[in-house]
Amino acid sequence: MDKLSNLAKFKATCPYLGRTKTSTLRTLCTSASPRFPTVSKLTEKATKCPVMGPALQIRSKQMVAGYASLAGSAEFAKIPEHQGIKPSAADAQKCPHASKALAAARMAEEFAHAKKAKTSSKATAASTSAAAAKSAPAAATGCPFHAASTSEAKPKAASVGGFDYEKFYAEELEKKHQDASYRYFNNINRLANKFPIAHTGNVKDEVEVWCANDYLGMGNNPVVLETMHRTLDTYGHGAGGTRNIAGNTGMHLALEEELASLHRKPAALVFSSCYVANDATLATLGSKLPGCVYFSDSMNHASMIQGMRHSGAKRVIFKHNDLEDLEMKLAQYPKETPKIIAFESVYSMCGSVGPIKEICDLAEQYGALTFLDEVHAVGLYGPRGAGVAEHLDYDIHKAAGQSPDPIKGTIMDRIDIITGTLGKAYGAVGGYIAGSTDFVDMIRSYASGFIFTTSLPPANMAGARASISYQKEYNGDRQLKQLNVRDLKSRFEALDIPVIPGPSHIVPVLVGDAALARHASDTLLAKHNVYVQAINYPTVARGEERLRFTVTPGHNVEQIARLARAVDQTFTELGIKRTSDWRKLGGHAGVGLADPKEVEPIWNDAQLGLLDGTAPAVLHPGQKRVVDQRAVRVTREKFNDLLGPYVEPAAPADVLKAELPLADPTLAASIPAAVEATA
């Protein structure tokens, strides 16, 4: 924000800054150049300016003179050893002087490259610039950013006729800027060995992640990473094409068997993402079933909406979770008309939960299929992580153990079609459907979104299967996550922070204004090292913009407390409405209602182990998460047929490590195996 304030001072004197929208400057100022990562996109553009370009070159030389003379030179080796600094590249970052030297050297080098990249284009335009200088103001001479003010003298490509595509793009983007719904993507890089910590575009700038959908932190689970490494070594990187061309693999079939077993369904089919799974399945069903009518919850995900639209079938929208409205609309069609009720278990932006049992009752009464999206629930609910449909019959499914057979009469068995993702609680990538054998085979045979898409690589499928297997065996991550969710919600409530009420793990905090939500997100990141993304239209309705927090079992009690304080300070600083303020206005989006309904969490105290003392312990700073060894052992055994029995790696040879001071410890650990393989 300080950078933008400084830029505003020069808008009157610089042609480019003067005519460029603040929103565009913000994006350029906060985004790293893809070619020169140490500088921003705005700085890269500035190297082309006849005024700023030379100034940046001078500044880079000053930086080199001040710091970079140490980087990689003999002087670097003279840094006092009594400060604990040894002359190696790995240790350079420990010294503030050496680290600045290296950073300055990199920046100076990239300034030079940026300038060099423009030399040829400047040379080509030299004669034109000289001629233009006679009639243009001196300040604008040769300035590529002043083109707009002299556009009359320069014919545009569109002047020869045809549609002005670039103008169209700019106008459409301007609409997003005007209603504050333009989306900004921050540079966030989650660190596997520091979860839930990530670094920004600067690898030394670390932040806490509070909005990722890797709900259980399975993206860095040891048995998942280990299995992916083994698979990569055995089968390589890519899948080789679509399954129609490259064929099935053992990893495909094993993953689909694991998913079918998870939901106790006869069959499952894996897609490249759950967006594709929903789109392809609903489009295929609606186009094949004669006279099909979809009944869609008003808050369904975009992937479901798109699939129904692509089908060409009639779509009837019912009010969110409103059973009376749904029944009234179902009753308008004959029972023999093919009907599909499409809904979700957990609605990700508000945290509400669909009335699954009651919808199953209506489906049976009116002859409809049920299509349940469990994307934000798989891995998180039920004793095996199969989702809310399993959780509603928690004790029955727990008693059945890992049997793949359906349990007649249970809610999960009554659901006809279940879709889920591998990319959220399971920390991988991909999506899937589960249902009857013939249904799955029909989608496999007709859905273009499946047939013509390159399949997932073997390592990704192996990682997903390992994650599912581990979570089927170990309930502790799910329990700890819910305990942390309760903690954060109670802290927010005590601070009058307006949490939209819901029984799930989602913690949506109402802001009610798009620009203010974006400002709050920026403030939390800049001042508190908290990364949480602002959610705006069309993901949520206008006027219901929010911050959506997700707590994981990897967050410790100190981090949760610190987050609550940061949000409280940000709300005060920006003047964002509290729960009490919304109450004075009559309530909004479920917040501050005069007569609020009590919301019972899906996980009760008994299921969390709070009644019998089996609840997992919350984490404190410095403590590491529990890795369940039994679940690890069971998971490893599942890959014996394809990868062979797991063998513990040999201890690294100390002599090799001593002789080769490597910056990357994982590389050092791999050397003994490499030597043995080539001996």
Side-chain angles (χ1 to χ4, degrees):
M1 304 306 294
D2 292 337
K3 292 181 180 179
L4 289 180
S5 300
N6 291 334
L7 290 175
K9 300 176 183 178
F10 302 102
K11 288 178 74 72
T13 55
C14 174
Y16 176 69
L17 297 178
R19 68 178 176 82
T20 304
K21 297 183 290 293
T22 301
S23 55
T24 302
L25 289 176
R26 180 191 184 284
T27 303
L28 294 172
C29 188
T30 57
S31 302
S33 163
R35 294 191 299 167
F36 313 110
T38 64
V39 299
S40 69
K41 289 182 178 179
L42 184 61
T43 302
E44 183 186 6
K45 282 182 173 289
T47 61
K48 298 182 289 184
C49 174
V51 177
M52 287 302 299
L56 287 171
Q57 288 298 313
I58 293 172
R59 177 58 183 150
S60 68
K61 291 177 181 178
Q62 291 173 341
M63 293 168 64
V64 171
Y67 292 115
S69 61
L70 287 176
S73 70
E75 292 182 50
F76 176 62
K78 299 178 182 178
I79 295 175
E81 297 224 358
H82 68 268
Q83 295 184 16
I85 306 301
K86 297 180 180 179
S88 72
D91 290 327
Q93 297 298 335
K94 298 178 183 178
C95 173
H97 305 292
S99 61
K100 287 182 179 179
L102 293 171
R106 285 195 297 269
M107 183 175 290
E109 183 180 355
E110 292 191 349
F111 275 147
H113 284 312
K115 182 181 180 181
K116 184 177 180 181
K118 307 304 175 186
T119 301
S120 58
S121 60
K122 287 183 178 180
T124 304
S127 58
T128 306
S129 299
K134 297 179 180 179
S135 56
T141 301
C143 180
F145 304 138
H146 200 64
S149 62
T150 59
S151 58
E152 298 81 8
K154 293 184 178 181
K156 294 182 179 179
S159 64
V160 298
F163 189 81
D164 191 339
Y165 298 101
E166 293 298 325
K167 180 181 178 183
F168 170 77
Y169 304 148
E171 289 173 348
E172 289 301 305
L173 287 171
E174 183 60 20
K175 292 177 185 177
K176 302 293 288 182
H177 287 300
Q178 289 298 326
D179 67 6
S181 67
Y182 183 81
R183 294 173 185 256
Y184 297 95
F185 298 148
N186 290 305
N187 188 338
I188 302 294
N189 307 270
R190 300 187 309 136
L191 295 166
N193 62 345
K194 288 188 176 183
F195 181 86
I197 303 298
H199 71 71
T200 65
N202 180 349
V203 296
K204 297 170 67 176
D205 182 18
E206 295 187 349
V207 297
E208 291 178 6
V209 178
W210 287 96
C211 63
N213 286 337
D214 184 1
Y215 291 128
L216 299 175
M218 290 302 292
N220 70 330
N221 179 276
V223 74
V224 171
L225 299 184
E226 163 198 300
T227 304
M228 293 183 74
H229 280 298
R230 295 174 66 201
T231 306
L232 191 63
D233 291 339
T234 303
Y235 294 111
H237 177 208
T242 66
R243 290 167 74 172
N244 184 52
I245 298 297
N248 277 331
T249 69
M251 289 298 179
H252 285 107
L253 301 176
L255 175 56
E256 287 168 348
E257 182 180 353
E258 192 78 55
L259 289 164
S261 171
L262 174 69
H263 294 288
R264 305 192 201 274
K265 296 291 184 185
L269 188 67
V270 172
F271 291 77
S272 56
S273 74
C274 197
Y275 189 105
V276 176
N278 282 344
D279 184 2
T281 302
L282 290 168
T284 302
L285 274 177
S287 64
K288 291 297 180 183
L289 286 169
C292 177
V293 180
Y294 278 113
F295 295 83
S296 174
D297 189 286
S298 62
M299 291 188 67
N300 274 342
H301 189 265
S303 60
M304 301 169 72
I305 296 169
Q306 203 70 337
M308 289 181 270
R309 285 175 176 168
H310 286 162
S311 73
K314 181 178 178 62
R315 183 165 61 105
V316 177
I317 301 173
F318 63 93
K319 297 175 184 176
H320 178 53
N321 282 351
D322 192 323
L323 295 168
E324 291 184 6
D325 189 47
L326 172 59
E327 183 171 14
M328 179 189 70
K329 289 170 177 173
L330 283 167
Q332 296 174 13
Y333 295 85
K335 191 168 185 177
E336 59 270 18
T337 299
K339 295 178 283 291
I340 301 173
I341 304 173
F343 63 111
E344 301 181 37
S345 57
V346 175
Y347 290 84
S348 63
M349 292 303 151
C350 61
S352 61
V353 175
I356 303 175
K357 177 184 179 299
E358 292 77 7
I359 288 178
C360 286
D361 294 339
L362 290 176
E364 291 175 4
Q365 181 179 348
Y366 291 96
L369 289 174
T370 47
F371 181 102
L372 175 62
D373 179 311
E374 290 259 36
V375 163
H376 288 274
V378 289
L380 302 177
Y381 298 92
R384 298 155 61 249
V388 176
E390 180 188 52
H391 200 98
L392 294 174
D393 295 302
Y394 190 96
D395 293 335
I396 296 174
H397 285 287
K398 183 178 180 180
Q402 299 303 340
S403 169
D405 299 328
I407 304 175
K408 296 300 181 183
T410 60
I411 293 171
M412 189 162 70
D413 182 57
R414 296 173 67 192
I415 296 292
D416 298 295
I417 303 164
I418 294 177
T419 69
T421 185
L422 306 171
K424 292 184 170 57
Y426 292 128
V429 64
Y432 63 90
I433 59 173
S436 71
T437 301
D438 286 344
F439 156 70
V440 169
D441 198 19
M442 192 201 79
I443 299 301
R444 183 193 66 83
S445 301
Y446 284 97
S448 59
F450 171 80
I451 297 170
F452 300 106
T453 299
T454 298
S455 61
L456 294 173
N460 292 100
M461 290 184 289
R465 184 189 175 201
S467 183
I468 296 166
S469 172
Y470 180 89
Q471 286 299 328
K472 283 168 69 176
E473 299 290 338
Y474 180 56
N475 208 18
D477 285 342
R478 283 185 285 283
Q479 293 172 314
L480 181 52
K481 176 182 175 63
Q482 295 294 333
L483 293 173
N484 284 346
V485 168
R486 287 190 180 191
D487 185 13
L488 181 61
K489 284 185 175 181
S490 65
R491 289 177 187 273
F492 278 165
E493 182 180 359
L495 293 169
D496 204 22
I497 302 297
V499 176
I500 298 173
S504 72
H505 61 282
I506 306 295
V507 187
V509 171
L510 180 65
V511 177
D513 178 271
L516 204 53
R518 180 73 257 163
H519 196 178
S521 174
D522 289 342
T523 301
L524 284 166
L525 184 62
K527 293 188 176 182
H528 302 281
N529 293 327
V530 166
Y531 172 58
V532 59
Q533 186 64 279
I535 308 296
N536 57 25
Y537 179 84
T539 306
V540 296
R542 287 190 172 92
E544 295 186 7
E545 292 83 4
R546 63 199 61 180
L547 301 174
R548 175 183 175 273
F549 294 89
T550 55
V551 196
T552 75
H555 286 98
N556 63 51
V557 290
E558 183 179 297
Q559 290 171 327
I560 294 172
R562 189 164 59 241
L563 170 69
R565 292 194 297 270
V567 173
D568 182 45
Q569 293 173 19
T570 300
F571 266 57
T572 299
E573 178 182 339
L574 302 183
I576 301 175
K577 292 185 182 68
R578 307 275 183 151
T579 303
S580 54
D581 297 319
W582 290 113
R583 187 175 294 114
K584 292 174 184 176
L585 297 173
H588 184 57
V591 173
L593 299 179
D595 186 22
K597 296 181 180 179
E598 186 174 350
V599 177
E600 289 291 333
I602 299 176
W603 281 85
N604 61 41
D605 289 353
Q607 293 163 353
L608 290 175
L610 293 173
L611 301 184
D612 60 6
T614 61
V618 296
L619 295 181
H620 291 271
Q623 292 181 331
K624 293 185 178 181
R625 290 175 56 190
V626 171
V627 176
D628 188 77
Q629 294 306 309
R630 190 189 68 83
V632 168
R633 185 175 64 255
V634 170
T635 298
R636 284 173 174 169
E637 290 173 355
K638 290 184 177 181
F639 290 88
N640 284 351
D641 57 338
L642 294 173
L643 303 179
Y646 176 77
V647 178
E648 290 286 348
D654 292 337
V655 62
L656 287 174
K657 291 177 67 178
E659 292 176 356
L660 298 173
L662 301 172
D664 184 356
T666 60
L667 183 57
S670 69
I671 287 176
V675 172
E676 183 179 346
T678 56

